[in-house]
């Protein structure tokens, strides 16, 4: 048996928003402004579900797009100045997501299956893995492809969801990006396994990716 180990490398990039999974002093400052307005969050520097909910409530109160992310418009209205450039490494949430995903390596593939132990299909696998970090996704790959933030292939980061067109038109297969061109997914031929985006089969069928946090 060959053990495969994939490192989740830290990547820094410019982004247009603070979002779930981000951490640091800038997040704590945002939380501080929310607290001053009466929202029930802690200024702990961890952009978790409670902060997402508070941001959505604030956005609704201001007539802003309710996406739970502190983008330029939300930051300007909340903090009262232009938003600084956001840089981040691989978030703790992405590391946790991948750690959970790897626990189910070898689970058999079953079309329509929902069990992480006895048999599961690709979209049920991603749905259940993301659910374990508090992100609720639709059941099927085509509907999962309609949520989250669309990103280009060269923007992929660990924790993003990748999509392929396989047995039918549109998004019909999906997995979780690990970094270094690799992704984990419930393969119809191998069960939960790790594959490369550069493999000819997946490279030819890749249609896009979504950032879910």
């Amino acid at each position: 048996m060959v053990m495969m180990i994939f490192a989740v490398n830290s990547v820094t990039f410019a982004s247009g928003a603070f979002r779930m999974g981000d951490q640091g002093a800038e997040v704590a400052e945002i939380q501080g402004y929310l607290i001053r307005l009466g929202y029930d969050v802690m200024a702990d520097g961890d952009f978790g579900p409670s902060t997402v909910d508070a941001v959505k409530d604030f956005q609704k109160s201001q007539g802003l797009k309710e996406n739970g992310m502190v983008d330029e418009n939300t930051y300007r209205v909340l903090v009262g100045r232009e938003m600084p450039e956001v840089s981040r490494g691989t978030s703790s949430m992405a590391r946790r997501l991948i750690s959970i995903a790897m626990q189910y390596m070898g689970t058999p593939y079953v079309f329509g299956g929902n069990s992480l132990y006895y048999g599961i299909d690709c979209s049920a696998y991603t749905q259940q893995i993301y659910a374990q970090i508090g992100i609720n996704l639709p059941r099927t790959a085509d509907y999962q492809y309609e949520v989250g933030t669309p990103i280009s292939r060269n923007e992929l980061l660990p924790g993003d969801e990748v999509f392929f067109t396989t047995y039918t038109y549109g998004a019909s297969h999906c997995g979780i990006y690990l970094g270094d061109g690799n992704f984990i997914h419930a393969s119809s031929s191998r069960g939960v396994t790790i594959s490369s985006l550069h493999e000819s089969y997946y490279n030819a069928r890749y249609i896009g990716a979504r950032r879910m946090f």
Side-chain angles (χ1 to χ4, degrees):
M1 179 178 179
V2 179
M3 180 169 290
M4 305 175 72
I5 301 175
F6 293 85
V8 180
N9 298 319
S10 178
V11 180
T12 301
F13 68 104
S15 171
F18 292 96
R19 56 171 61 88
M20 188 156 71
D22 287 345
Q23 295 178 317
E26 291 170 321
V27 173
E29 181 184 26
I30 289 168
Q31 292 168 326
Y33 277 93
L34 290 167
I35 290 169
R36 291 176 203 174
L37 293 173
Y39 294 98
D40 185 19
V41 295
M42 293 179 60
D44 57 5
D46 186 359
F47 204 125
S50 62
T51 301
V52 171
D53 290 342
V55 170
K56 285 182 178 179
D57 288 343
F58 173 77
Q59 290 169 327
K60 182 177 182 180
S61 74
Q62 299 297 316
L64 300 168
K65 182 178 180 181
E66 298 171 42
N67 57 16
M69 299 186 292
V70 181
D71 52 21
E72 292 181 3
N73 289 335
T74 301
Y75 190 93
R76 191 181 300 114
V77 174
L78 175 64
V79 180
R81 62 174 186 267
E82 295 301 310
M83 188 174 75
E85 181 179 277
V86 183
S87 62
R88 57 168 69 84
T90 301
S91 70
S92 61
M93 183 168 289
R95 292 193 295 271
R96 185 154 57 94
L97 177 77
I98 291 170
S99 175
I100 293 168
M102 297 287 285
Q103 293 175 22
Y104 302 100
M105 285 280 289
T107 297
Y109 178 89
V110 174
F111 185 77
N114 284 293
S115 172
L116 283 166
Y117 299 96
Y118 303 112
I120 198 162
D121 64 21
C122 65
S123 56
Y125 174 71
T126 53
Q127 181 191 47
Q128 293 189 37
I129 298 302
Y130 279 103
Q132 291 189 51
I133 63 166
I135 296 173
N136 297 316
L137 298 180
R139 171 63 179 84
T140 60
D142 54 344
Y143 283 109
Q144 290 179 19
Y145 192 57
E146 295 179 1
V147 301
T149 302
I151 55 172
S152 65
R153 187 160 176 168
N154 61 9
E155 293 176 313
L156 279 170
L157 287 174
D160 291 338
E161 188 171 3
V162 290
F163 294 87
F164 310 85
T165 182
T166 54
Y167 66 90
T168 188
Y169 179 79
S172 52
H173 187 67
C174 54
I176 298 170
Y177 188 65
L178 301 176
D180 296 326
N182 299 298
F183 66 102
I184 188 168
H185 62 130
S187 162
S188 60
S189 60
R190 293 183 290 169
V192 176
T193 189
I194 293 169
S195 300
S196 171
L197 292 176
H198 305 302
E199 292 178 29
S200 58
Y201 179 85
Y202 294 110
N203 186 53
R205 291 165 174 78
Y206 178 85
I207 60 170
R210 295 291 184 268
R211 185 156 295 150
M212 301 301 183
F213 54 86

